[in-house]
Amino acid sequence: GAGVSQSPSNKVTEKGKDVELRCDPISGHTALYWYRQRLGQGLEFLIYFQGNSAPDKSGLPSDRFSAERTGESVSTLTIQRTQQEDSAVYLCASSFWGSSDTQYFGPGTRLTVL
Amino acid sequence: AQSVSQHNHHVILSEAASLELGCNYSYGGTVNLFWYVQYPGQHLQLLLKYFSGDPLVKGIKGFEAEFIKSKFSFNLRKPSVQWSDTAEYFCAVNAYYGGSQGNLIFGKGTKLSVKP
């Protein structure tokens, strides 16, 4: 079946602009996660959606970052007033039921802020 | 805060050599442990995971990992590597706090290069 998809695959933006990154999880997966991977670093947790529960936003680095998820479907990560330090690969993953379940990752969006 | 340490940033081996990649975590309670792998040009994918039971876990492609609770370790091993094992390997830990699952915390990754 279809895996996790993300769009765009690459995004180049100017400092100060807003960007939106999209994630389509695997159908039927109730949990969805966003991570950030800076060059040479591990995956940094950003936010976690589980069903209809309030999302766990504990990993968002600043109030410029926000994310939404429509039901158990598509999620959008928004970064407002982008800064150069936001340059990274943003990965989305989904799992069937929770954070201890196997996570299936998308290809990522490479964001470059000039 | 919980953390995951991977000791080697880059490992270079010849084919047929044995592999052991170190992973240590900092949380003393109940944990689930994972190794994920990213082959060149591909998505991150699960290699193996430990939830409970036998601390020696076998995964895909001949990999295995051993959970040693007293050492807070979950090292990845393979007796004989192949060129196709060239990839980046990430250790990850999911801890339970008061009966609730925490988030998955990843190490910084180890790049493995296997020379043919």
Side-chain angles (χ1 to χ4, degrees):
Chain A
V4 176
S5 61
Q6 292 184 247
S7 60
S9 56
N10 278 286
K11 176 72 176 179
V12 180
T13 191
E14 293 179 348
K15 178 181 173 180
K17 300 278 189 183
D18 297 352
V19 295
E20 276 191 0
L21 311 180
R22 177 187 168 107
C23 172
D24 281 275
I26 293 172
S27 177
H29 280 191
T30 63
L32 185 147
Y33 318 79
W34 284 98
Y35 297 91
R36 176 170 71 176
Q37 186 176 23
R38 291 171 162 159
L39 190 63
Q41 301 295 312
L43 276 71
E44 176 188 3
F45 165 77
L46 296 178
I47 189 168
Y48 163 40
F49 295 90
Q50 173 62 64
N52 294 321
S53 302
D56 179 350
K57 304 179 182 180
S58 60
L60 295 179
S62 76
D63 59 7
R64 296 187 295 105
F65 288 72
S66 62
E68 293 183 348
R69 186 180 186 194
T70 308
E72 294 185 354
S73 181
V74 170
S75 175
T76 303
L77 177 69
T78 302
I79 309 173
Q80 295 179 310
R81 306 181 301 282
T82 52
Q83 304 294 310
Q84 288 184 331
E85 62 262 29
D86 299 334
S87 296
V89 176
Y90 288 83
L91 289 166
C92 175
S94 70
S95 68
F96 187 68
W97 53 267
S99 59
S100 60
D101 193 13
T102 300
Q103 295 186 22
Y104 295 84
F105 284 83
T109 294
R110 182 175 298 277
L111 175 65
T112 303
V113 182
L114 301 176
Chain B
Q2 186 188 143
S3 64
V4 178
S5 298
Q6 292 186 240
H7 314 304
N8 309 102
H9 177 63
H10 192 184
V11 173
I12 302 172
L13 296 173
S14 297
E15 276 194 317
S18 64
L19 170 73
E20 181 160 4
L21 301 182
C23 173
N24 286 89
Y25 61 94
S26 62
Y27 183 66
T30 301
V31 293
N32 299 319
L33 300 156
F34 305 79
W35 277 96
Y36 280 84
V37 60
Q38 187 167 27
Y39 297 102
Q42 297 188 26
H43 306 181
L44 266 168
Q45 59 185 281
L46 182 71
L47 195 57
L48 51 79
K49 61 185 179 183
Y50 171 80
F51 280 11
S52 63
D54 188 345
L56 185 62
V57 179
K58 295 191 183 298
I60 60 171
K61 303 187 181 185
F63 285 90
E64 64 179 32
E66 184 174 14
F67 170 47
I68 303 179
K69 189 173 182 178
S70 61
K71 295 184 177 181
F72 300 93
S73 70
F74 190 56
N75 292 354
L76 181 70
R77 300 194 294 247
K78 185 170 184 179
S80 175
V81 295
Q82 301 174 313
W83 176 79
S84 58
D85 294 324
T86 294
E88 190 159 15
Y89 294 79
F90 294 89
C91 181
V93 177
N94 166 248
Y96 285 80
Y97 304 98
S100 298
Q101 295 173 10
N103 297 305
L104 202 56
I105 307 298
F106 282 83
K108 291 188 175 182
T110 298
K111 286 187 180 176
L112 172 65
S113 299
V114 180
K115 298 183 292 185

